[in-house]
Amino acid sequence: MPAVNLGTNLSDHDALYEALVRLHDGLSDEESLRLWARLTLILMNHIGDRDVLLAAMEKARKG
Amino acid sequence: MANVTGIPVYKKIGATPVPVTAHDQARVVIVGAGPVGLALALDLGRRGQPVTVLNRLDFVAHCSKAICFSKRSLDILDRLGAGDAAVEKGVTWNVGKVFWGASESPIYQFDTLPVKDQKRPGFINIQQYYIEEYLLDGCRALPNIDIRWGHTVDAVTALNDGAELTVTAVDGSYKLRADWIVACDGARSTVRDKLGLDFEGRVFEDNFLIADIRMKHEMPAERWFWFDPPFNPGRSALMHKQPDDVWRLDFQLGWNIDREAATRLENVEPFIRAMLGENLEFEREWYSVYSFQCRRMARFVHGHVIFAGDAAHLVSPFGARGCNGGLADADNLGWKLDLVLNGEADESLIETYNLEAVATADENILNSTRSTDFLTPKSKASQALRDAVLELAKEHAFARPFVNSGRLSTAVSYAESPLSTPDEDAWEGGVAPGMPVLDAPLADGWLLDELGNHFVLLACGGDQPVPPSVRLVALEPNGLAAQRLGLMPGASVLVRPDQYVAARWQQPTPTAVETALRRAKGETLCLQ
């Protein structure tokens, strides 16, 4: 059992995707990058599980 | 105007002479003999209404235009008697595949018909002119449908109880006074223009090339879509099979291009050869460059002038929501206009066409806009997000539902319709009011074929008292149809003439059915 859930765990993907795109409306590239960072930190805190976060980081790095 | 140069002819018809009177009259005038106008004409004609159709051209044009006809559209064509011809000629498909880069295996695939055992498939591909021809065959068999070819609307005057048109044909002009006008005259609607009405919404800065070509090619009947393929780097492409060995190829071109030059043979053919091979043998069928908008009119009903199809709303083609959305309009309007013309319903029923067709257009525009934003990212952030989705989707299931190459047209639910009676009983599953009936096999045929053109009460186990204008259709308890509708013995569903559920009960009383029927005919409307 992998620590990080990579199966489908959301519904209404299109609406969430749209919200994520809209979030960047009017931002410069630098501001966008900072926004991604803030969002990641907020979500990390919410998840609150070190093993899951490290596994997720490894997956994200691999692409 | 007749004989417009530059538009290829599929079927010559010839100009219709102007009427002998300079002041002609009609109950319903439909402007535009495209698929939407013809579907509405045929629906009203089959209901016995006299209908006059005006068409600017005096022939059926030989352009593929719309090619993907959804299951819901096939259900509508079935009701109009044109479904079998369409499905027999068309290429049936259900599966869409999405590719990324040079990889030959898809990163994502979807099935447009998740519930099997229905009469019609998720989609057929067929050239628009075939659909027009089948609808036209139906119209021409009815003496009460008068199609006037080569008749152009020059002026529109809205009146309280109708409208007056000034119409010009090759041999003169005349006035045409109608109780109701339905404008199905396309994206550049003359009627909309003459009334000074416009669209609201977004215009997208991108161009796409359609190359419909004739060739011998082996590929499954599926929708194939590429992000960033080697033959159109950094952009998208689509490939789709049509009847007669015709294939639709669609290439994203970008915004700053010479549109005029883009459809020239020497510019189109390199795209085709890069995709399918240098030595490919093919013939040109139809080349066209388009950009698109996701926009609609604020209202589709303006007094006795009603708008339907592209005249009322525009979407991007990704999702096949243009023509299918237009056929949904015709389907929604036909029975309502029929009841109003017969004096069986108040004019305010037409206002519910406005509500329901606007809801449909909004859902189509929402889906189409989201697809477009995925296909053509507008910023570095959205480009990074899109590419991350594609990257992750190769390996991880969670990312695949984000992949959006067009969310294909399905029947729209009228969740807020004032014609629906909200559920009072508890239900597990089934089809809620405001949704179309789900098809199912019956002992000898299909459920949707049983519904016909008028109100129906589907009763599990049968033997329900029904009002005189409602036909009773008994469903076998525990049969697949009853299961899909969530019906236990004794339960029933009131179905509108357009196959949408109006109300349902676990144990209906005659009064409840009568009340729901009156509501579905707009008798108890409370419109803001």
Side-chain angles (χ1 to χ4, degrees), chain B residues 211-384:
Chain B
D212 280 354
I213 59 169
R214 223 173 255 267
M215 64 168 176
K216 296 283 180 198
H217 186 70
E218 291 299 320
M219 188 184 112
E222 296 171 345
R223 176 189 194 262
W224 284 17
F225 189 96
W226 288 264
F227 288 102
D228 192 21
F231 53 84
N232 195 19
R235 304 213 161 97
S236 65
L238 177 114
M239 184 168 180
H240 233 169
K241 186 180 188 177
Q242 302 175 51
D244 312 328
D245 290 321
V246 174
W247 295 77
R248 161 133 325 162
L249 312 177
D250 188 307
F251 303 94
Q252 187 187 4
L253 297 178
W255 183 234
N256 289 311
I257 59 154
D258 178 353
R259 287 170 57 100
E260 197 73 34
T263 51
R264 278 190 222 130
L265 295 186
E266 69 267 26
N267 294 325
V268 174
E269 298 196 348
F271 277 102
I272 299 169
R273 296 202 180 281
M275 183 183 203
L276 295 162
E278 283 307 314
N279 302 316
L280 181 75
E281 283 181 35
F282 69 93
E283 283 169 53
R284 164 199 165 134
E285 179 82 4
W286 183 57
Y287 297 163
S288 170
V289 168
Y290 64 91
S291 57
F292 51 76
Q293 314 172 350
C294 292
R295 308 171 82 193
R296 68 166 170 88
M297 298 176 74
R299 292 179 51 77
F300 300 169
V301 177
H302 290 262
H304 281 220
V305 182
I306 305 167
F307 293 83
D310 283 358
H313 45 74
L314 295 174
V315 291
S316 83
F318 300 100
R321 290 168 180 270
C323 193
N324 290 309
L327 289 172
D329 290 348
D331 186 49
N332 188 286
L333 183 56
W335 66 275
K336 293 176 181 174
L337 199 48
D338 177 62
L339 287 178
V340 171
L341 287 163
N342 288 343
E344 293 170 51
D346 186 80
E347 251 181 66
S348 56
L349 184 59
I350 300 301
E351 183 59 24
T352 70
Y353 163 76
N354 185 68
L355 292 173
E356 294 180 342
V358 162
T360 302
D362 280 346
E363 178 164 324
N364 286 331
I365 287 172
L366 177 70
N367 277 289
S368 168
T369 303
R370 286 172 172 175
S371 299
T372 307
D373 283 339
F374 193 91
L375 291 174
T376 60
K378 307 293 180 296
S379 64
K380 267 197 179 173
S382 56
Q383 180 81 49

Side-chain angles (χ1 to χ4, degrees), chain A residues 6-7 14 17-18 22 29, chain B residues 370 373 380 386 398 407:
Chain A
L6 296 167
D14 289 355
Y17 188 93
E18 186 185 7
R22 293 281 154 266
D29 294 345
Chain B
R370 286 172 172 175
D373 283 339
K380 267 197 179 173
R386 203 283 301 276
F398 85 91
R407 299 286 182 227

Side-chain angles (χ1 to χ4, degrees), chain B residues 398-466:
Chain B
F398 85 91
R400 285 173 205 144
F402 285 114
V403 176
N404 189 343
S405 72
R407 299 286 182 227
L408 283 131
S409 176
T410 53
V412 168
S413 135
Y414 307 138
E416 308 288 323
S417 176
L419 303 182
S420 298
T421 300
D423 284 338
E424 283 187 357
D425 304 330
W427 290 89
E428 258 179 60
V431 178
M435 295 285 294
V437 170
L438 190 55
D439 199 12
L442 300 178
D444 49 355
W446 298 94
L447 176 58
L448 293 188
D449 285 341
E450 280 297 311
L451 296 177
N453 293 308
H454 300 282
F455 281 96
V456 164
L457 192 77
L458 290 174
C460 185
D463 206 23
Q464 276 288 321
V466 288

Side-chain angles (χ1 to χ4, degrees), chain B residues 18 184 274 310 337 413 469 476:
Chain B
V18 296
C184 307
D310 283 358
L337 199 48
S413 135
S469 62
E476 199 187 314

